Amino acid sequence: ETGVTQTPRHLVMGMTNKKSLKCEQHLGHNAMYWYKQSAKKPLELMFVYNFKEQTENNSVPSRFSPECPNSSHLFLHLHTLQPEDSALYLCASSQGGGPYEQYFGPGTRLTVT
Amino acid sequence: GENVEQHPSTLSVQEGDSAVIKCTYSDSASNYFPWYKQELGKRPQLIIDIRSNVGEKKDQRIAVTLNKTAKHFSLHITETQPEDSAVYFCAAKTLNAGNMLTFGGGTRLMVKP
Protein backbone atom coordinates (compact mmCIF):
# COMPACT_ATOMS: atom_id res chain seq x y z
CA GLU A 1 0.00 0.00 0.00
CA THR A 2 1.38 3.44 -0.89
CA GLY A 3 -1.46 5.75 0.25
CA VAL A 4 0.37 6.88 3.40
CA THR A 5 4.13 6.48 3.59
CA GLN A 6 6.49 7.03 6.51
CA THR A 7 10.26 7.36 6.71
CA PRO A 8 12.37 6.11 8.23
CA ARG A 9 10.82 2.76 9.09
CA HIS A 10 13.28 2.19 11.92
CA LEU A 11 15.24 4.71 13.96
CA VAL A 12 17.67 4.34 16.84
CA MET A 13 18.69 7.54 18.55
CA GLY A 14 20.48 8.65 21.68
CA MET A 15 18.85 10.90 24.23
CA THR A 16 20.82 13.93 23.06
CA ASN A 17 20.13 13.47 19.34
CA LYS A 18 17.76 15.43 17.14
CA LYS A 19 15.89 13.56 14.44
CA SER A 20 12.72 13.94 12.38
CA LEU A 21 10.04 11.52 11.26
CA LYS A 22 8.34 12.13 7.93
CA CYS A 23 4.87 11.22 6.73
CA GLU A 24 3.42 11.73 3.27
CA GLN A 25 -0.11 10.98 2.06
CA HIS A 26 -1.09 10.58 -1.59
CA LEU A 27 -4.85 10.38 -1.00
CA GLY A 28 -5.85 14.03 -1.28
CA HIS A 29 -6.87 14.14 2.38
CA ASN A 30 -7.13 17.29 4.49
CA ALA A 31 -6.40 15.94 7.95
CA MET A 32 -3.26 14.25 9.27
CA TYR A 33 -2.47 12.66 12.62
CA TRP A 34 0.41 11.38 14.74
CA TYR A 35 -0.20 8.41 17.03
CA LYS A 36 2.11 6.68 19.48
CA GLN A 37 1.69 2.91 19.80
CA SER A 38 3.27 1.14 22.75
CA ALA A 39 2.49 -1.83 24.95
CA LYS A 40 1.20 0.53 27.65
CA LYS A 41 -1.22 2.55 25.47
CA PRO A 42 -1.94 0.76 22.23
CA LEU A 43 -3.11 3.76 20.17
CA GLU A 44 -2.44 7.14 21.73
CA LEU A 45 -3.31 10.24 19.71
CA MET A 46 -0.59 12.90 19.80
CA PHE A 47 -1.43 15.60 17.27
CA VAL A 48 -4.11 16.42 14.71
CA TYR A 49 -3.75 18.77 11.76
CA ASN A 50 -6.66 19.91 9.60
CA PHE A 51 -5.86 21.95 6.48
CA LYS A 52 -2.31 22.48 7.86
CA GLU A 53 -3.61 23.92 11.13
CA GLN A 54 -2.99 22.07 14.38
CA THR A 55 -6.36 21.34 15.96
CA GLU A 56 -5.31 18.95 18.71
CA ASN A 57 -2.30 18.56 20.96
CA ASN A 58 -3.03 15.73 23.32
CA SER A 59 -0.81 16.99 26.17
CA VAL A 60 2.33 15.86 24.39
CA PRO A 61 5.72 16.84 25.89
CA SER A 62 7.55 19.64 24.08
CA ARG A 63 10.39 17.28 23.12
CA PHE A 64 7.97 16.23 20.33
CA SER A 65 7.41 19.04 17.83
CA PRO A 66 5.07 18.53 14.86
CA GLU A 67 5.20 20.41 11.58
CA CYS A 68 2.68 20.36 8.74
CA PRO A 69 3.92 22.45 5.79
CA ASN A 70 1.02 21.36 3.55
CA SER A 71 -1.89 18.92 3.56
CA SER A 72 0.26 16.13 2.13
CA HIS A 73 3.23 16.22 4.48
CA LEU A 74 3.60 15.87 8.21
CA PHE A 75 6.77 15.82 10.28
CA LEU A 76 7.52 14.96 13.87
CA HIS A 77 10.72 16.57 15.14
CA LEU A 78 12.34 14.79 18.05
CA HIS A 79 14.92 16.11 20.52
CA THR A 80 16.22 15.06 23.94
CA LEU A 81 13.94 12.04 24.04
CA GLN A 82 13.72 9.59 26.92
CA PRO A 83 13.93 5.79 26.77
CA GLU A 84 10.18 5.61 27.56
CA ASP A 85 9.55 7.39 24.25
CA SER A 86 10.57 4.21 22.45
CA ALA A 87 7.50 3.07 20.53
CA LEU A 88 5.94 2.72 17.09
CA TYR A 89 4.92 6.13 15.73
CA LEU A 90 2.04 5.93 13.31
CA CYS A 91 0.92 8.64 10.93
CA ALA A 92 -2.63 8.66 9.57
CA SER A 93 -4.72 10.80 7.25
CA SER A 94 -8.41 11.28 6.55
CA GLN A 95 -10.72 13.46 4.50
CA GLY A 96 -11.18 15.83 7.41
CA GLY A 97 -13.85 16.66 9.93
CA GLY A 98 -16.62 14.13 10.17
CA PRO A 99 -16.90 10.36 10.33
CA TYR A 100 -14.23 9.50 7.78
CA GLU A 101 -11.92 6.50 7.75
CA GLN A 102 -8.38 7.14 8.91
CA TYR A 103 -5.70 5.61 6.71
CA PHE A 104 -2.57 4.64 8.60
CA GLY A 105 1.02 4.58 7.46
CA PRO A 106 3.33 1.62 8.22
CA GLY A 107 4.87 3.41 11.20
CA THR A 108 8.37 4.27 12.37
CA ARG A 109 9.80 1.98 15.04
CA LEU A 110 11.75 4.32 17.33
CA THR A 111 14.26 3.14 19.90
CA VAL A 112 15.79 5.67 22.28
CA THR A 113 19.02 4.51 23.89
CA GLY B 1 -13.35 14.08 27.05
CA GLU B 2 -14.32 10.74 25.60
CA ASN B 3 -13.20 7.51 27.28
CA VAL B 4 -13.45 4.16 25.50
CA GLU B 5 -13.05 0.86 27.35
CA GLN B 6 -12.58 -2.40 25.44
CA HIS B 7 -12.97 -5.99 26.63
CA PRO B 8 -11.54 -8.55 26.64
CA SER B 9 -7.88 -7.64 26.16
CA THR B 10 -7.17 -11.13 24.80
CA LEU B 11 -9.53 -13.66 23.25
CA SER B 12 -8.74 -17.16 22.07
CA VAL B 13 -11.27 -19.12 20.00
CA GLN B 14 -11.32 -22.30 17.98
CA GLU B 15 -11.52 -21.95 14.22
CA GLY B 16 -15.16 -21.84 13.18
CA ASP B 17 -16.39 -20.42 16.48
CA SER B 18 -17.71 -16.89 16.94
CA ALA B 19 -15.83 -14.04 18.62
CA VAL B 20 -17.36 -11.03 20.34
CA ILE B 21 -15.48 -7.91 21.43
CA LYS B 22 -17.23 -5.23 23.46
CA CYS B 23 -16.58 -1.53 23.93
CA THR B 24 -18.19 1.11 26.12
CA TYR B 25 -17.92 4.86 25.68
CA SER B 26 -18.56 7.74 28.02
CA ASP B 27 -19.67 10.67 25.85
CA SER B 28 -23.31 10.41 24.80
CA ALA B 29 -22.54 12.89 22.00
CA SER B 30 -20.36 10.32 20.21
CA ASN B 31 -21.82 9.50 16.82
CA TYR B 32 -19.32 7.40 14.90
CA PHE B 33 -17.84 4.05 15.92
CA PRO B 34 -15.21 2.40 13.70
CA TRP B 35 -13.39 -0.87 14.22
CA TYR B 36 -9.79 -1.32 13.10
CA LYS B 37 -7.85 -4.54 12.61
CA GLN B 38 -4.07 -4.63 13.02
CA GLU B 39 -2.27 -7.77 11.93
CA LEU B 40 1.15 -8.48 13.38
CA GLY B 41 3.71 -6.03 12.03
CA LYS B 42 1.16 -4.21 9.89
CA ARG B 43 -0.76 -0.96 10.06
CA PRO B 44 -4.29 -0.68 11.53
CA GLN B 45 -7.00 -0.88 8.85
CA LEU B 46 -10.70 -0.10 9.05
CA ILE B 47 -12.87 -3.21 8.81
CA ILE B 48 -16.32 -1.87 9.65
CA ASP B 49 -17.93 1.22 11.13
CA ILE B 50 -21.35 2.28 12.38
CA ARG B 51 -23.03 5.62 12.83
CA SER B 52 -25.31 6.52 15.71
CA ASN B 53 -28.47 6.48 13.62
CA VAL B 54 -28.08 2.74 12.98
CA GLY B 55 -28.35 -0.13 15.48
CA GLU B 56 -26.60 -2.84 13.51
CA LYS B 57 -24.42 -3.23 10.44
CA LYS B 58 -23.20 -6.40 8.78
CA ASP B 59 -20.49 -7.17 6.23
CA GLN B 60 -20.14 -10.87 5.43
CA ARG B 61 -18.75 -12.55 8.57
CA ILE B 62 -18.41 -9.39 10.64
CA ALA B 63 -21.14 -7.32 12.26
CA VAL B 64 -21.28 -4.42 14.65
CA THR B 65 -24.11 -3.58 17.03
CA LEU B 66 -24.66 -0.29 18.82
CA ASN B 67 -26.71 0.38 21.95
CA LYS B 68 -26.84 4.15 22.37
CA THR B 69 -28.83 4.03 25.58
CA ALA B 70 -26.28 1.82 27.30
CA LYS B 71 -23.38 3.49 25.44
CA HIS B 72 -21.82 0.30 24.22
CA PHE B 73 -21.05 -1.30 20.89
CA SER B 74 -19.76 -4.71 19.93
CA LEU B 75 -17.92 -6.46 17.11
CA HIS B 76 -19.10 -9.92 16.16
CA ILE B 77 -17.05 -12.25 13.97
CA THR B 78 -18.69 -15.49 12.91
CA GLU B 79 -17.04 -18.63 11.50
CA THR B 80 -13.63 -17.39 12.57
CA GLN B 81 -10.60 -18.29 10.48
CA PRO B 82 -6.87 -18.24 11.36
CA GLU B 83 -6.45 -15.09 9.24
CA ASP B 84 -8.81 -13.29 11.64
CA SER B 85 -6.01 -13.46 14.24
CA ALA B 86 -4.99 -9.85 14.93
CA VAL B 87 -5.43 -6.99 17.36
CA TYR B 88 -8.79 -5.27 17.03
CA PHE B 89 -9.38 -1.68 18.14
CA CYS B 90 -12.70 0.01 18.64
CA ALA B 91 -12.98 3.80 18.55
CA ALA B 92 -15.51 6.56 19.10
CA LYS B 93 -15.81 10.03 17.66
CA THR B 94 -17.68 12.90 19.25
CA LEU B 95 -19.57 15.49 17.21
CA ASN B 96 -17.67 18.42 18.66
CA ALA B 97 -14.25 16.78 18.84
CA GLY B 98 -13.03 17.82 15.42
CA ASN B 99 -11.25 14.92 13.77
CA MET B 100 -10.37 13.11 16.96
CA LEU B 101 -10.98 9.41 17.38
CA THR B 102 -10.64 7.94 20.87
CA PHE B 103 -9.44 4.34 20.68
CA GLY B 104 -10.05 1.47 23.07
CA GLY B 105 -7.15 -0.51 24.48
CA GLY B 106 -7.32 -3.25 21.85
CA THR B 107 -8.21 -6.95 21.87
CA ARG B 108 -5.73 -9.58 20.75
CA LEU B 109 -7.77 -12.27 19.00
CA MET B 110 -6.16 -15.67 18.44
CA VAL B 111 -7.98 -18.19 16.25
CA LYS B 112 -6.66 -21.70 16.78
CA PRO B 113 -6.83 -24.04 13.78
Side-chain angles (χ1 to χ4, degrees), chain B residues 2-95:
Chain B
E2 176 66 278
N3 182 46
V4 177
E5 304 253 345
Q6 184 170 346
H7 299 281
S9 55
T10 59
L11 179 59
S12 181
V13 300
Q14 205 67 40
E15 181 177 359
D17 288 351
S18 295
V20 180
I21 302 170
K22 298 181 180 180
C23 288
T24 59
Y25 61 98
S26 60
D27 192 338
S28 56
S30 288
N31 63 342
Y32 174 63
F33 307 91
W35 286 88
Y36 284 78
K37 175 184 180 183
Q38 186 175 24
E39 296 178 46
L40 190 63
K42 296 194 175 179
R43 69 193 78 193
Q45 289 190 292
L46 181 74
I47 54 170
I48 195 167
D49 57 15
I50 192 167
R51 284 153 174 76
S52 58
N53 59 344
V54 174
E56 184 174 358
K57 185 176 178 181
K58 202 170 180 181
D59 183 4
Q60 296 179 30
R61 293 186 298 107
I62 59 173
V64 58
T65 58
L66 171 65
N67 183 327
K68 284 178 60 182
T69 305
K71 289 190 282 187
H72 68 70
F73 56 112
S74 301
L75 178 72
H76 304 253
I77 307 174
T78 57
E79 299 169 34
T80 53
Q81 300 166 5
E83 51 265 37
D84 294 329
S85 297
V87 178
Y88 291 81
F89 293 98
C90 64
K93 183 187 176 299
T94 309
L95 257 178

Side-chain angles (χ1 to χ4, degrees), chain A residues 46-109:
Chain A
M46 299 175 73
F47 301 104
V48 181
Y49 277 83
N50 196 23
F51 290 98
K52 302 188 298 177
E53 298 297 321
Q54 188 181 126
T55 56
E56 293 293 338
N57 175 337
N58 204 21
S59 304
V60 181
S62 59
R63 57 186 184 271
F64 295 91
S65 174
E67 179 190 359
C68 188
N70 54 61
S71 293
S72 300
H73 293 86
L74 184 65
F75 295 88
L76 188 62
H77 304 299
L78 317 171
H79 67 98
T80 58
L81 293 192
Q82 305 297 313
E84 58 265 28
D85 296 322
S86 299
L88 181 70
Y89 288 84
L90 288 162
C91 172
S93 71
S94 72
Q95 276 188 308
Y100 297 116
E101 176 179 357
Q102 290 188 14
Y103 291 79
F104 286 84
T108 295
R109 173 69 61 186

Side-chain angles (χ1 to χ4, degrees), chain A residues 8-35:
Chain A
R9 296 292 308 276
H10 300 272
L11 178 62
V12 179
M13 60 185 287
M15 289 192 283
T16 57
N17 290 159
K18 285 186 182 182
K19 296 285 184 184
S20 295
L21 310 185
K22 180 183 176 182
C23 176
E24 186 172 358
Q25 58 95 2
H26 310 273
L27 301 168
H29 289 163
N30 301 318
M32 295 187 79
Y33 314 77
W34 279 117
Y35 287 91

